[in-house]
Amino acid sequence: QVQFVESGGGLVQPGGSLRLSCATSGITLDYYAIGWFRQAPGKEREGVSCISASDGSTNSADSVKGRFTISRDNAKNTVYLQMNSLKPEDTGVYYCAANTLRRLCARSAPIYEYDYWGQGTQVTVSS
């Protein structure tokens, strides 16, 4: 059974930091591009950051570029999202998922290419 489990969310003040973890099982992690997504109430789910299989190249949304860093530890079957300089607009439920159609990240990759969504972890940025 393939399972992704997100953790590490919480309440943080603006300017603070969080590190999210995506623990995976049932897949060989480095065979897939892995993406982090977020969804705020009343808004569509959006891509945040992606890390490619094999070469580890990354791609991030302009809104988080320079603030968020995605990484993976294949030995631990875990993908991380380090979030710094958090803003209130970063608030939302954060999900990880695997792109089952490609190994390399592409900013234009549609969300339907992703599968094995986790349950999400809530991130709230508020004073």
Side-chain angles (χ1 to χ4, degrees):
Q1 181 181 6
V2 176
Q3 186 174 13
F4 283 19
V5 179
E6 300 93 338
S7 63
L11 175 63
V12 65
Q13 294 180 320
S17 298
L18 286 172
R19 189 178 76 158
L20 306 184
S21 297
C22 174
T24 74
S25 61
I27 65 167
T28 302
L29 183 60
D30 64 350
Y31 283 5
Y32 302 95
I34 305 296
W36 280 98
F37 300 79
R38 67 187 180 191
Q39 187 167 20
K43 300 186 68 175
E44 295 183 350
R45 192 169 299 184
E46 64 175 343
V48 175
S49 191
C50 179
I51 185 165
S52 298
S54 300
D55 69 1
S57 60
T58 62
N59 202 357
S60 296
D62 290 340
S63 61
V64 306
K65 218 161 193 173
R67 299 189 297 119
F68 291 10
T69 302
I70 189 171
S71 63
R72 73 166 80 206
D73 186 334
N74 291 330
K76 295 183 178 180
N77 298 307
T78 301
V79 179
Y80 303 96
L81 184 67
Q82 179 66 46
M83 306 187 297
N84 299 325
S85 302
L86 284 161
K87 304 174 180 179
E89 52 263 44
D90 295 319
T91 294
V93 179
Y94 282 69
Y95 301 88
C96 58
N99 190 315
T100 59
L101 299 181
R102 67 182 76 235
R103 296 168 63 89
L104 300 177
C105 292
R107 182 180 293 271
S108 60
I111 196 168
Y112 63 75
E113 292 187 1
Y114 288 82
D115 207 348
Y116 310 129
W117 298 89
Q119 84 289 345
T121 186
Q122 176 72 45
V123 172
T124 303
V125 185
S126 179
S127 299

